[in-house]
Amino acid sequence: MEQLPGGRRLRLASSLGLGQRCWEVTLDEERGLLAWRDPRPPRRGADNCFVPTSEIIAVEETEQNKKQRSTGKWQKMAKPHAFTVYYVKKARNHRWRCRDVTFWCADEYLCNQWIQALKELLEMQKCRPKQLLVYINPYGGKRQGKRIYEQKVAPLFSLASISADVVVTEHANHAKDNLFEVNISKYDGVVCVGGDGMFSEVMHGLIGRMQKDSGIDQNNPKAPLAQCNIRIGIIPAGSTDCVCYSTVGISDPVTSALHIIIGDCQPLDVSSVHHNNTFLKYAVSLLGYGFYGDVLKDSEKKRWMGPMRYDYSGFKTFLSHHYYEGTISFQPAKHTLGSPRDKDSCRTGCCVCKESEQQLAEQRKKCGFKHEEDEDEWKVIKGKFLAINVVNMSCACPRSPKGLSPAAHLADGTADLILVRKCSRFDFLRYLVRHTNRDDQFDFSFVDVYRVKSFQFTSKLSEDNESSVTDIGKKRFGQFCRDHPACCCNIANSTWNCDGETLDSSAIEVRVHCQLMKLFARGIEENCTDEAAYSHSSIEQLL
Ligand SMILES: Nc1ncnc2c1ncn2[C@@H]1O[C@H](COP(=O)(O)OP(=O)(O)OP(=O)(O)O)[C@@H](O)[C@H]1O
C-alpha cells in the first residue's frame, strides 16, 4: 500500500501494459477509483481514464493465448499475464454500456495482486445483489421480453457472478401470485422484464407479501404500510416503460441491467387506492380520470393493434372531448420543500426527497401517524374536468421527456394533482402539445396543480345518489354520448387509469406512502458529458 502526499492511501500503483504501451495504473481505495494514465507528456485528446470502483462490473484473469491469437500484440513478450476490468461506460442520454480494458505485465505475482485487490473491492460493495428472482412477461410490448433477457441481460448477470432464478410467466398475475409463495428472503432483489403493467404486478406482489407477513390489513386505508426493502429492477420490454424512463432516464435493457448489477437504490413513493374501505390498487406513476382513463379504456379493446393502440385511442378520445363532473378533496403536502411549479427537477440524490422524508419522519415521531391524518386540513374543489391526474413521478417517456409533471419527486411522500377544467378543444390541444415542448404546461387558466399527500374523488353521478331513477337515465345517456364521439356533453363517469390498468370504481380515496419501496435505479442523473468526466484533465488531479 502506497502513501500519497495528502496522506491518502493508494492500494496499488504499477506500470502496466495496455495495448502496445505502458501506462501508469493506480487503484485509489480511499477515493474508490481505478485510473490509468499515459505517462508521456499530456497531449490533447490523450486517453487518460478513470472509473469509480463502484461502477466496475467484474474483473477476470485474461487468457493470454486467446488474446495473442486475436490481436497478435503480445507476440514479443515471452509470457505475459493479463487481467480484464469490465466497467460501466456512460454514454449520452443516460445510456450505460459495459466496456472492458485489459492490462498486462510480465510478472504473474503483480497481475494476481491486481486481480485480488480489485476483487476484494468488489466484494466490499455490499449493496450489490448476488441472487435475483426474475419474472419475464413473454407477451409484453413487442413480445421480445425473453429474447431481451437472454441476449442482453443474462450474459451481464453472469459476468457479474449474479445468479438468477427465472420465471417466464404463463398468465396475468402469475408473478404476483408467485411472490406470495416463494422464499423471498433468499433473494437480494426481484427483476421484472416487461412494461409498466408487469412492473405493477410485481410491485403488488411484493408490497402485498410484505403486508401479509407483517399482519397489516391492506383494506384499511389509514393503516401505515410496512416498507418493502427488497429492491425491484425493471428491464424495459413493454409498450409503455414510463416507470423505468422516469427513474433511470432511458428505457434501455442494458442500462437497467447495469444499474441492477452495481446495486443502485432509488426509494419510491407509492399511492394506495381504496374505495369504501376496500383496497383497490397501488400506483407509482399515473392515476388518471377523464382523458387518460378514457384513452386506456378504449385502447384495452384494441390490444391487437399493439403499442399503436395508444395513438389511435388518444386521437379518438381527444375528438370526443368529454368532461366529467365531480368533487375532489385533498390534503396539501406541507412537509415538502418543493412545489409542482419548481424549475428544478428530481435528480440523483435529490435533497428535496431526503429532507421531505426526514420532515415526515419527525412529524410522525412527534404527533403520531393518526394525528397527522386526522388533523391536516382538507381542501375541496367541485367542477367539470376534462382530466384529473394524480402523479407520483414526472411520468416522463420518450414522447414527453419532461412528463406530466416535470418537477414531481420520486420519493418525497407527495403526489402532484393536476386538474384540467372544461375548456375548448383547441385549448386542450395546446395543453397536450406543451407536454412535448419546453413551454410550461401548467400556465393555463383552466389548469390547476397542487402537491398533495392524500386525495379523494367522487363523481357527480355517485354524489347524486347511485340508486335514484335519474341516475339510470344518466347512465343510459352517458352510454349514448360515448357512442357519439362528436358530442362533447358530459357523460356519466369516466374510468380511473391506475398505472395503465382500469379501476372498477370512480369514487376513490388515495394516500401517498413515502418511500414505501425501492428500485435498482438512482433517479435521473444531471446530464453532464460523462465521457469528459471520465477522462483527460481531471485525471491529473487524481494521480
Ligand atoms: N404470460 C402472460 N400472459 C398474459 N398476460 C401476462 C402474462 N404475464 C404478464 N401478463 C400481464 O400483461 C400485462 C401487460 O404486460 P406489460 O406491461 O409487460 O406489457 P405492455 O405491452 O407494456 O402492456 P401495457 O402497455 O398494457 O402495460 C400485465 O398487466 C401483466 O399482468
Side-chain angles (χ1 to χ4, degrees):
M1 175 119 28
E2 235 176 75
Q3 199 82 14
L4 284 180
R8 244 170 57 222
R9 278 175 306 138
L10 203 60
R11 182 77 183 258
L12 279 172
S14 317
S15 183
L16 299 176
L18 167 56
Q20 285 170 334
R21 289 207 305 272
C22 270
W23 290 57
E24 279 174 19
V25 187
T26 54
L27 182 57
D28 186 335
E29 192 176 331
E30 212 161 280
R31 290 197 179 186
L33 284 173
L34 170 71
W36 56 101
R37 183 176 82 140
D38 187 343
R40 293 182 305 179
R43 291 171 300 130
R44 257 186 98 72
D47 274 338
N48 295 331
C49 299
F50 67 92
V51 175
T53 48
S54 61
E55 290 174 11
I56 292 178
I57 298 159
V59 184
E60 272 181 358
E61 188 176 355
T62 313
E63 274 177 57
Q64 45 172 318
N65 293 338
K66 198 170 95 189
K67 276 276 173 181
Q68 254 177 336
R69 268 202 306 275
S70 60
T71 66
K73 282 177 189 165
W74 297 356
Q75 277 158 4
K76 284 185 210 150
M77 196 173 280
K79 248 188 166 197
H81 298 276
F83 63 94
T84 302
V85 178
Y86 298 87
Y87 61 95
V88 170
K89 178 83 179 172
K90 296 180 179 181
R92 281 173 192 280
N93 300 326
H94 311 287
R95 190 181 300 276
W96 286 13
R97 284 292 172 265
C98 173
R99 292 284 176 266
D100 62 85
V101 55
T102 299
F103 299 106
W104 52 264
C105 58
D107 182 350
E108 185 178 8
Y109 176 75
L110 182 65
C111 184
N112 286 339
Q113 225 184 348
W114 271 94
I115 296 173
Q116 202 183 331
L118 285 164
K119 283 197 168 164
E120 271 171 23
L121 280 184
L122 292 188
E123 272 302 308
M124 277 158 59
Q125 323 254 339
K126 295 293 173 212
C127 55
R128 294 190 177 204
K130 287 194 161 67
Q131 180 83 41
L132 293 170
L133 176 58
V134 180
Y135 293 104
I136 303 175
N137 176 3
Y139 302 114
K142 293 181 184 149
R143 302 180 170 223
Q144 297 293 306
K146 217 161 157 272
R147 188 190 62 80
I148 287 173
Y149 181 76
E150 281 163 5
Q151 292 181 7
K152 299 189 173 184
V153 180
L156 287 172
F157 283 175
S158 125
L159 177 68
S161 309
I162 294 174
S163 37
D165 290 343
V166 180
V167 179
V168 179
T169 60
E170 285 163 15
H171 51 84
N173 289 326
H174 183 167
K176 185 178 152 202
D177 296 344
N178 190 250
L179 276 163
F180 276 85
E181 289 158 12
V182 288
N183 175 8
I184 201 84
S185 59
K186 176 172 138 187
Y187 299 105
D188 306 310
V190 180
V191 173
C192 57
V193 185
D196 286 338
M198 190 59 190
F199 165 75
S200 174
E201 199 188 294
V202 167
M203 173 184 76
H204 278 82
L206 264 185
I207 299 179
R209 170 75 185 266
M210 203 53 64
Q211 309 319 309
K212 188 175 159 232
D213 291 353
S214 313
I216 293 168
D217 177 11
Q218 291 186 97
N219 284 323
N220 176 359
K222 291 195 171 160
L225 298 179
Q227 259 181 348
C228 203
N229 287 321
I230 183 158
R231 285 167 288 176
I232 302 181
I234 310 170
I235 302 293
S239 333
T240 47
D241 301 307
C242 155
V243 182
C244 179
Y245 193 93
S246 300
T247 54
V248 175
I250 188 167
S251 295
D252 174 60
V254 171
T255 305
S256 291
L258 294 173
H259 279 282
I260 295 171
I261 289 170
I262 68 163
D264 266 341
C265 182
Q266 172 63 52
L268 202 61
D269 294 338
V270 178
S271 291
S272 58
V273 188
H274 287 81
H275 168 74
N276 275 349
N277 285 326
T278 307
F279 168 71
L280 298 179
K281 279 227 175 272
Y282 293 115
V284 290
S285 55
L286 168 70
L287 259 168
Y289 189 80
F291 183 73
Y292 289 101
D294 293 350
V295 171
L296 179 71
K297 192 154 188 195
D298 190 71
S299 69
E300 287 289 289
K301 295 177 230 153
K302 300 182 177 62
R303 281 203 155 263
W304 55 269
M305 285 175 86
M308 274 278 291
R309 66 189 186 273
Y310 294 115
D311 293 328
Y312 173 83
S313 298
F315 186 61
K316 192 175 152 196
T317 308
F318 170 76
L319 289 180
S320 72
H321 201 63
H322 289 307
Y323 67 83
Y324 300 91
E325 281 192 78
T327 306
I328 290 150
S329 326
F330 62 89
Q331 285 181 303
K334 290 186 188 151
H335 66 274
T336 178
L337 305 171
S339 128
R341 304 295 297 269
D342 286 343
K343 290 283 163 270
D344 294 332
S345 311
C346 186
R347 290 288 177 261
T348 305
C350 175
C351 54
V352 172
C353 290
K354 271 187 205 140
E355 285 178 30
S356 305
E357 195 258 342
Q358 277 166 11
Q359 285 279 332
L360 262 188
E362 272 168 33
Q363 265 180 28
R364 277 174 196 160
K365 233 192 245 164
K366 262 194 225 152
C367 322
F369 200 87
K370 193 153 173 22
H371 174 87
E372 174 206 330
E373 285 297 307
D374 297 340
E375 297 297 306
D376 277 6
E377 61 164 327
W378 284 86
K379 280 196 168 178
V380 180
I381 296 175
K382 279 179 189 273
K384 296 171 179 170
F385 305 98
L386 284 171
I388 299 169
N389 297 326
V390 187
V391 298
N392 280 71
M393 56 177 68
S394 67
C395 294
C397 64
R399 281 183 187 190
S400 167
K402 59 181 188 172
L404 287 175
S405 187
H409 286 269
L410 293 172
D412 66 343
T414 73
D416 287 352
L417 168 65
I418 305 157
L419 305 177
V420 185
R421 293 171 187 276
K422 188 184 162 199
C423 61
S424 69
R425 262 201 197 89
F426 179 65
D427 277 343
F428 190 53
L429 180 63
R430 282 170 64 216
Y431 166 73
L432 292 178
V433 168
R434 285 207 184 169
H435 291 85
T436 61
N437 62 30
R438 285 175 178 271
D439 297 336
D440 180 358
Q441 67 250 53
F442 301 138
D443 189 20
F444 287 108
S445 57
F446 54 89
V447 179
D448 295 318
V449 58
Y450 306 91
R451 191 150 281 180
V452 307
K453 58 180 193 171
S454 45
F455 153 91
Q456 289 176 3
F457 174 77
T458 329
S459 69
K460 181 145 189 304
L461 182 71
S462 25
E463 270 172 5
D464 286 353
N465 187 352
E466 282 162 327
S467 58
S468 74
V469 181
T470 46
D471 274 347
I472 296 163
K474 276 185 189 170
K475 272 181 194 153
R476 287 202 181 127
F477 180 58
Q479 190 54 48
F480 179 74
C481 288
R482 189 179 286 278
D483 295 338
H484 293 79
C487 162
C488 62
C489 64
N490 67 323
I491 57 167
N493 277 336
S494 173
T495 310
W496 279 100
N497 171 341
C498 177
D499 282 358
E501 300 212 13
T502 53
L503 295 183
D504 292 334
S505 171
S506 64
I508 57 166
E509 208 179 309
V510 179
R511 242 189 57 209
V512 185
H513 299 265
C514 187
Q515 306 195 0
L516 187 65
M517 55 165 296
K518 296 184 174 83
L519 293 183
F520 282 109
R522 58 169 63 170
I524 297 177
E525 290 185 290
E526 291 294 349
N527 223 347
C528 58
T529 42
D530 298 304
E531 285 176 41
Y534 272 17
S535 62
H536 306 314
S537 61
S538 37
I539 194 83
E540 306 300 336
Q541 298 152 24
L542 293 158
L543 289 171

